[in-house]
Amino acid sequence: MALQQGATIGIIGGGQLGRMLAMAAARLGFRTCILEPGKDCPAAQVANSHFEYAYDDEAGLQALARASDVVTYEFENVPVAAARMLEKQCVLYPPSRALELSQDRLIEKDFLNECGAKTAGYFNVENIGDLLSALEAFDGSGVLKTRRFGYDGKGQARFNRNSETEIGDIYREFDGTACVLEELIDFEREISVIAARDRSGNFCAYDPAWNVHREGILHTSTIPAGVSQSVADTAIETSHRIMDELSYVGVMATEYFVTCDGSLLVNEIAPRVHNSGHWTEAGCLVSQFEQHIRAIAGWPLGDGLRHSDCVMENLIGAEAESAHLKQENAAAMLHLYGKKESRPGRKMGHFTRVGPMQKNLK
Ligand code: ATP
Ligand code: MG
């Protein structure tokens, strides 16, 4: 059953993604309710109500389920037990299986390869012996990543023909934490696909974005991504296959490496709206946030077509402090997240510059 106008959407997580979801929901006539332990969080500032509970607090989850006609989430580290509990009590989208996979890089990569979405080579690493033999298999290079809780490049280390002593020194910090070693990919560029799937299985993708990182954090997303039509089509088809396999409902992001020979490898999936899709607010009639709300509400998906070329740039830490005063930003779509405190590496806002569309470019 499609949600009526005026229905309430529960959102787990009070960050900027929750804020933008709540704003999109409000524009469609919905009410929103945020579950987030932090006071005065970015999402609660623009929502109708705020339950200040930990994400695994049963009383908080029950209150959210009672208050909401559908519940969704804005980050992938929502405890799976909480998501499963909600699935029994109310409607939760995206499904808890998507959360579960995206929380563990090993399980995620096994799943992706099983559904025909190729990833970089990888090995499970539980101790230094596993690491040494995995590095040997990759000619001495690779990226070590914690299986859980990594974000913005945190929980990662790179190896490039290091000595055994160096490897031991680097590994010390990871010892006792479940990890994977990934093959180091010499990519030509990174792209992502933001796509939506509704309750009936209809699918709609935005044009891929070209993503450039700085110090492990997304710096810019550029659309068109500058890849061939066939790379763009293959990336979108791969995302479609993954989402069908998960009986996914909502917006999902898939990050890809485009290798120098034009082949595609999936880096990771995010079962939520995504930073590399922020440009859709400025470049499309229906943004990723509206699209997610439409999908989970049982409304028809919007049109994912874009009307402009876009470059989205993140404002990190102090960069956001004077962004609103800069003349050069006056022609851009500025978005600030209402975070009280700026810290180095913290995402504080972004802006999107738009320009006329270069036809036929993905
Ligand atoms: P984010 O939160 O930005 O998505 P994350 O912490 O989840 O980051 P990843 O996406 O796995 O981590 O890696 C961050 C970045 O590190 C990638 O976007 C890419 O630039 C680089 N990277 C990750 N894995 C590899 C790899 N196997 N080979 C080469 N570069 C890599
Ligand atoms: Mg990533």
Side-chain angles (χ1 to χ4, degrees):
M1 268 273 286
L3 256 55
Q4 301 288 322
Q5 296 173 37
T8 299
I9 295 177
I11 301 172
I12 308 176
Q16 65 268 20
L17 300 178
R19 178 184 179 97
M20 291 184 260
L21 284 170
M23 288 163 73
R27 195 161 58 78
L28 298 181
F30 293 116
R31 301 174 65 80
T32 50
C33 174
I34 309 295
L35 181 81
E36 161 66 48
K39 280 195 196 315
D40 194 31
C41 56
Q45 290 167 12
V46 301
N48 298 87
S49 50
H50 178 191
F51 295 153
E52 289 179 36
Y53 291 92
Y55 310 126
D56 59 355
D57 185 303
E58 236 171 82
L61 291 163
Q62 270 164 12
L64 183 74
R66 273 195 306 273
S68 310
D69 295 287
V70 63
V71 174
T72 189
Y73 46 89
E74 60 123 42
F75 71 110
E76 60 267 39
N77 286 319
V78 172
V80 172
R84 293 231 178 89
M85 191 187 117
L86 285 171
E87 270 171 342
K88 290 202 190 105
Q89 297 191 2
C90 61
V91 184
L92 175 85
Y93 292 128
S96 62
R97 174 141 186 260
L99 259 186
E100 197 175 2
L101 288 170
S102 67
Q103 286 180 3
D104 185 320
R105 293 190 195 272
L106 182 66
I107 297 174
E108 180 183 31
K109 284 182 208 302
D110 287 348
F111 162 77
L112 289 168
N113 285 289
E114 272 158 28
C115 68
K118 218 173 151 226
T119 65
Y122 60 99
F123 288 101
N124 187 23
V125 171
E126 288 174 9
N127 52 52
I128 184 75
D130 290 347
L131 176 61
L132 290 170
S133 48
L135 279 170
E136 204 176 306
F138 292 145
D139 255 355
S141 64
V143 185
L144 184 70
K145 300 183 183 177
T146 57
R147 280 171 56 176
R148 299 173 67 84
F149 300 120
Y151 71 99
D152 288 346
K154 292 186 172 56
Q156 297 192 13
R158 278 179 186 231
F159 295 91
N160 216 335
R161 295 170 196 277
N162 301 78
S163 68
E164 215 171 301
T165 320
E166 284 169 339
I167 296 170
D169 286 346
I170 298 171
Y171 184 67
R172 201 155 302 131
E173 200 184 315
F174 292 83
D175 206 358
T177 311
C179 293
V180 288
L181 183 81
E182 283 180 32
E183 185 184 358
L184 183 66
I185 303 299
D186 181 21
F187 51 79
E188 191 268 321
R189 67 184 61 204
E190 291 185 86
I191 63 169
S192 57
V193 170
I194 309 295
R197 188 176 180 277
D198 71 12
R199 294 182 184 186
S200 319
N202 296 306
F203 172 87
C204 183
Y206 295 99
D207 283 345
W210 169 28
N211 300 322
V212 174
H213 294 79
R214 219 160 62 174
E215 291 165 20
I217 304 171
L218 182 66
H219 174 48
T220 55
S221 292
T222 302
I223 299 88
V227 295
S228 67
Q229 183 74 42
S230 91
V231 165
D233 290 345
T234 307
I236 290 170
E237 278 159 25
T238 305
S239 297
H240 194 167
R241 199 168 340 127
I242 296 167
M243 291 168 83
D244 277 348
E245 189 60 39
L246 291 169
S247 303
Y248 198 92
V249 176
V251 163
M252 190 183 94
T254 316
E255 298 176 8
Y256 295 91
F257 299 127
V258 184
T259 62
C260 296
D261 64 3
S263 58
L264 275 168
L265 298 171
V266 179
N267 175 25
E268 59 177 353
I269 57 174
R272 54 171 170 79
V273 287
H274 196 256
N275 196 168
S276 68
H278 289 0
W279 65 273
T280 57
E281 274 202 310
C284 302
L285 276 189
V286 178
S287 73
Q288 62 165 346
F289 305 103
E290 174 171 341
Q291 198 72 306
H292 184 75
I293 298 295
R294 284 177 163 274
I296 66 172
W299 287 19
L301 293 179
D303 189 329
L305 282 181
R306 67 188 169 88
H307 50 68
S308 299
D309 287 357
C310 296
V311 180
M312 187 283 314
E313 187 172 332
N314 271 334
L315 295 164
I316 308 293
E319 283 171 2
E321 278 162 27
S322 56
H324 58 296
L325 300 174
K326 284 194 183 146
Q327 192 55 42
E328 76 224 46
N329 291 345
M333 187 187 206
L334 181 63
H335 207 132
L336 299 169
Y337 306 151
K339 295 184 182 176
K340 293 277 165 327
E341 201 190 326
S342 124
R343 284 192 298 269
R346 191 173 198 206
K347 290 175 181 163
M348 302 299 292
H350 66 270
F351 55 76
T352 306
R353 297 186 195 291
V354 300
M357 198 151 125
Q358 306 290 309
K359 289 267 179 280
N360 300 323
L361 278 181
K362 289 272 176 185

